[in-house]
Amino acid sequence: MLGRWVPLLICSLFLIILGCSNLKASEVSSIRIECVDICNREDSQAEPFTEKTFTDPEAIRAFVNAVNKASRIKGELDYGVTFRMYAAYKNGGEKVYSLNISDSKKEGIRGLLVDSKDSGKGYSIPSKNHEELRKLIYGEDANYSQMNGNEGITIRLQCVDLCKGEQKPAGLFTEKTFTDPDETSEFINAINKASKMNGMLNYTTNFLMYVSYPEPEAAEKVYVLNIANVKDEGVRGLLVDTMDSEQGYEIQPEFHEELRKLIYGE
């Protein structure tokens, strides 16, 4: 679906440099997205959630950056509301916006942001920020902020189902931490290149993978990671973000093999 959900503006769009009521990521505890118009259309090709809450610091930062970098649109607006966005503050209260993000990958697509307290003023979300939110909202990528550079990132694996009872493979660790950038980069590449799977999931949990970021983020993401100790060509792995446990991502064979070597040793 192309940019049908990016609203049509009646007048010519003249942007002036003016953010839409700046937010601070450090003050926001969660971002809640409520699907509105797009969820009521039978012809929608997207499969968005009815409502979803983001609490991961990196996801919150993506939404906050989109708000702060949005530019004022001059003129009258004619738009539908794709999503309601609720930014909850840590000290209580919340800000409410109308947020229009398309599921189109077309370059140059911009989003629309409107403060609910001033619905006559619109703000244009830059295409780069639109793309980041598109991936978050429509679930294309397992990792909503591609990790560029691995210095200081720690990967900790905890063996779960594989380590239960007598089925635990000989010599397999119960828990192991990877800090070498050459090793952590293999895990990060596998995350960033994983592709979205369709349909319902039915899986056990081989490992829980904890990806810890260094300062200033000092955040941690947790995934289910299923890597088999099988050398057969074409074997793929499974990645599931624990924040969205019903959506799976497929790890490509070349990355599965690299992780197999790191995890099981060779």
Side-chain angles (χ1 to χ4, degrees):
M1 191 167 67
L2 297 177
R4 62 167 43 169
W5 294 108
V6 178
L8 298 176
L9 307 182
I10 293 178
C11 62
S12 299
L13 305 183
F14 296 96
L15 304 183
I16 61 176
I17 301 175
L18 180 63
C20 180
S21 56
N22 284 4
L23 296 174
K24 292 184 179 180
S26 61
E27 297 177 355
V28 176
S29 61
S30 67
I31 299 290
R32 180 167 62 90
I33 302 295
E34 178 185 31
C35 187
V36 187
D37 289 350
I38 194 173
C39 292
N40 297 322
R41 291 183 61 95
E42 295 181 356
D43 62 343
S44 175
Q45 297 177 13
E47 298 180 358
F49 40 78
T50 301
E51 182 176 299
K52 187 172 183 178
T53 299
F54 300 88
T55 58
D56 186 281
E58 290 298 315
I60 291 174
R61 186 173 291 106
F63 283 99
V64 169
N65 285 342
V67 172
N68 293 341
K69 292 182 179 180
S71 302
R72 171 77 183 279
I73 299 169
K74 185 178 180 181
E76 293 297 324
L77 299 178
D78 180 18
Y79 64 97
V81 178
T82 309
F83 302 100
R84 295 274 187 223
M85 181 177 85
Y86 303 82
Y89 292 106
K90 293 178 180 178
N91 62 356
E94 65 180 6
K95 285 281 293 179
V96 184
Y97 302 89
S98 292
L99 176 69
N100 286 9
I101 297 295
S102 170
D103 61 344
S104 172
K105 299 180 183 179
K106 185 177 179 180
E107 290 186 11
I109 294 288
R110 289 174 171 263
L112 175 73
L113 184 74
V114 179
D115 190 325
S116 63
K117 290 186 176 180
D118 194 357
S119 59
K121 293 180 181 178
Y123 296 81
S124 176
I125 296 174
S127 56
K128 178 180 178 181
N129 300 99
H130 177 278
E131 177 62 11
E132 291 178 354
L133 297 192
R134 182 190 68 80
K135 292 177 180 179
L136 265 177
I137 291 171
Y138 295 96
E140 176 180 320
D141 292 342
N143 178 40
Y144 34 72
S145 62
Q146 295 279 310
M147 303 179 197
N148 298 316
N150 308 299
E151 195 67 35
I153 289 180
T154 299
I155 304 290
R156 179 167 62 90
L157 291 186
Q158 179 184 9
C159 185
V160 186
D161 290 344
L162 274 180
C163 293
K164 291 181 179 178
E166 298 179 355
Q167 65 179 352
K168 179 181 178 182
L172 183 62
F173 54 81
T174 301
E175 186 173 299
K176 186 173 182 178
T177 300
F178 300 85
T179 57
D180 186 299
D182 289 337
E183 295 178 336
T184 59
S185 66
E186 297 293 348
F187 288 96
I188 300 308
N189 287 338
I191 293 172
N192 290 341
K193 298 296 183 180
S195 56
K196 182 179 178 180
M197 300 170 63
N198 295 320
M200 299 296 294
L201 292 180
N202 182 15
Y203 63 95
T204 57
T205 302
N206 289 359
F207 302 96
L208 283 176
M209 178 173 67
Y210 301 82
V211 182
S212 299
Y213 300 80
E215 297 289 349
E217 289 88 353
E220 183 177 70
K221 279 192 64 63
V222 185
Y223 300 90
V224 170
L225 177 68
N226 286 2
I227 298 294
N229 190 16
V230 177
K231 297 181 182 180
D232 291 350
E233 187 175 330
V235 175
R236 297 170 182 265
L238 173 69
L239 183 75
V240 180
D241 188 331
T242 57
M243 296 292 291
D244 188 6
S245 60
E246 294 183 357
Q247 178 59 63
Y249 296 83
E250 193 172 59
I251 295 175
Q252 304 306 310
E254 60 269 30
F255 298 108
H256 178 278
E257 176 60 14
E258 293 302 323
L259 297 192
R260 185 192 66 78
K261 293 176 183 178
L262 284 173
I263 292 171
Y264 296 98
E266 184 172 271

